[in-house]
Amino acid sequence: MGDLLSLFINSVFIGNILLAYFLGICSFIAVSKTIETATGLGLAVIFVLTVTSPVNWLIYHGLLAPGALAWAGFPELDLSFLKFITFIAVIAAMVQAVEMVIDRYSPLLYATLGVFLPLIAVNCAILGTSLFIVERNHTFIESVVFGAGSGTGWMLAIVSLAAIRKKVRYADVPKGLDGFGFIMIIAGLMAMTFMMFSGITL
Amino acid sequence: MQNDLSHYKEILVKGIWRENPVAYQVLGICSALAVTVKMSTALVMSIALTLVAGFSGLIISSLRHLIPSNIRIIVELTVIASLVIITDQILQAYLYDISKQLSIFVGLIITNCIILGRAEAFALANNPADSFVDGIANGLGYSMILVAVAFLRELLGSGQFFGFSVIPQFVYDMGFQDMGIMVLAPGAFFVIGLLVWLKNSLPGISHEKK
């Protein structure tokens, strides 16, 4: 249990998927104009990550990993090179399914998250998390925790950026640095702040 | 249909400098930052991405009359993912060490906004040859930023260039230290922020007089 808690804290703060691994920066910049939309996208990312990470884990370890098809009579088969195309297809399909379920059962939630769901299919953070899980040999339970932790860390980062951008809206930024360059510098300072957590061990 | 050289040159200049995908359109920076600690990884990543961008433009543009528009995203992703699988296999076969260092970021070329963005914005509306050149141009534009960031980070962060120490010993003797921050994540954000500032200021030099 302590291991899982430590993995969660680690994926939220120290190994923050956005500020330490640079995943999902496109939408980090595009959708951080207001706190409301940032929160909406953040929640959608947590949700999709928590669902797709274990599903991709099951598919990888049940079908693609070397020797996984031994039950079907192919003990030497190694389909792991297919992981990219499988994962992206699973993510696209899951996003579509999640969108339909939310639409059917919770119109209120759909009104908040609906517009962001299609964006998520091509968010690097989702595919990146699934690939990290394969690369780091996480177990099934760890993949759920890591997925949820990465999503939480991502949301924390984008909501903080939205809040900071609101504060500096009328700041007198040098011409040329205004816009994208300025956001990158803010993100750099945020990344430094998140690195302060790296002393924490549980 | 003018397919003389100046036409291709126009597409190239647009992709590399005038509408540079990273600095101007703010696309594809996810991976642009993660692999820039060293020149060698950045260079391999640039070549991989440029080739994938070029060939995905070529293939998607050749198929553009056959793809039904409502499932086009999934078709595009399939084409791109297949090209990335080939790239990944080639890297694992011939450049195993670098492929290990690039870790998941080769796979993330699939979700790199530049490739899908160019497929959507250019390849679906133009002929295969133009789309190929456009993909290569945008790939080169991306590579330019990537290599520039990697150059600064490796030089300032570890005093090296392609793994060779280039800062002479007497500079260290005088009290110079490697900037540890450049090797870490925040360094990438700062360098790219400052590079964009520099790029935005370059064409604007003449306006400063007013």
Side-chain angles (χ1 to χ4, degrees), chain B residues 137-149:
Chain B
N138 278 277
L140 287 176
Y142 167 89
S143 306
M144 197 176 67
I145 301 279
L146 201 66
V147 169
V149 174

Side-chain angles (χ1 to χ4, degrees), chain A residues 64-142:
Chain A
L64 303 177
L69 283 174
W71 54 271
F74 302 106
E76 274 130 48
L77 206 58
D78 176 6
L79 292 177
S80 57
F81 69 92
L82 284 177
K83 64 177 186 281
F84 298 141
I85 204 163
T86 322
F87 286 0
I88 195 75
V90 167
I91 290 165
M94 288 305 297
V95 167
Q96 190 75 51
V98 165
E99 191 180 354
M100 285 174 346
V101 170
I102 295 181
D103 189 20
R104 170 74 182 73
Y105 291 104
S106 172
L108 190 68
L109 189 61
Y110 185 76
T112 346
L113 296 187
V115 283
F116 302 118
L117 285 168
L119 259 178
I120 289 177
V122 287
N123 188 324
C124 323
I126 315 283
L127 183 64
T129 305
S130 289
L131 293 174
F132 268 137
I133 287 169
V134 168
E135 199 184 80
R136 294 175 184 172
N137 273 321
H138 284 313
T139 62
F140 180 70
I141 302 294
E142 281 172 359

Side-chain angles (χ1 to χ4, degrees), chain B residues 3-134:
Chain B
N3 57 355
D4 52 349
L5 280 174
S6 68
H7 174 58
Y8 290 125
K9 206 175 137 203
E10 167 76 21
I11 299 177
L12 272 171
V13 171
K14 212 169 167 183
I16 296 174
W17 185 254
R18 209 141 21 89
E19 294 185 3
N20 184 293
V22 178
Y24 174 84
Q25 305 172 70
V26 198
L27 291 178
I29 30 182
C30 303
S31 53
L33 298 174
V35 296
T36 51
V37 177
K38 289 197 297 187
M39 281 295 278
S40 52
T41 48
L43 203 64
V44 171
M45 182 71 182
S46 303
I47 297 170
L49 187 122
T50 307
L51 291 179
V52 171
F55 283 101
S56 72
L58 181 71
I59 296 174
I60 290 166
S61 169
S62 324
L63 294 173
R64 69 187 190 280
H65 298 302
L66 300 172
I67 304 176
S69 69
N70 48 353
I71 59 157
R72 66 178 195 283
I73 301 267
I74 203 97
V75 174
E76 286 160 17
L77 279 177
T78 316
V79 170
I80 296 167
S82 312
L83 287 166
V84 170
I85 290 175
I86 297 171
T87 315
D88 184 47
Q89 295 291 309
I90 294 175
L91 285 180
Q92 285 189 17
Y94 295 104
L95 292 167
Y96 189 73
D97 289 341
I98 288 182
S99 141
K100 272 283 160 230
Q101 286 168 16
L102 286 174
S103 105
I104 66 162
F105 291 97
V106 178
L108 289 176
I109 294 179
I110 300 173
T111 48
N112 192 313
C113 327
I114 294 175
I115 306 204
L116 195 66
R118 291 326 289 173
E120 276 282 292
F122 197 92
L124 284 178
N126 289 280
N127 70 12
D130 284 6
S131 307
F132 183 72
V133 176
D134 179 71

Side-chain angles (χ1 to χ4, degrees), chain A residues 23-80:
Chain A
L23 299 178
I25 295 196
C26 299
S27 22
F28 176 64
I29 289 166
V31 195
S32 59
K33 289 198 182 74
T34 67
I35 298 180
E36 289 77 24
T37 48
T39 316
L41 184 70
L43 287 174
V45 166
I46 295 184
F47 192 67
V48 172
L49 263 176
T50 318
V51 177
T52 54
S53 308
V55 169
N56 277 336
W57 189 92
L58 286 175
I59 289 180
Y60 184 76
H61 288 273
L63 295 173
L64 303 177
L69 283 174
W71 54 271
F74 302 106
E76 274 130 48
L77 206 58
D78 176 6
L79 292 177
S80 57

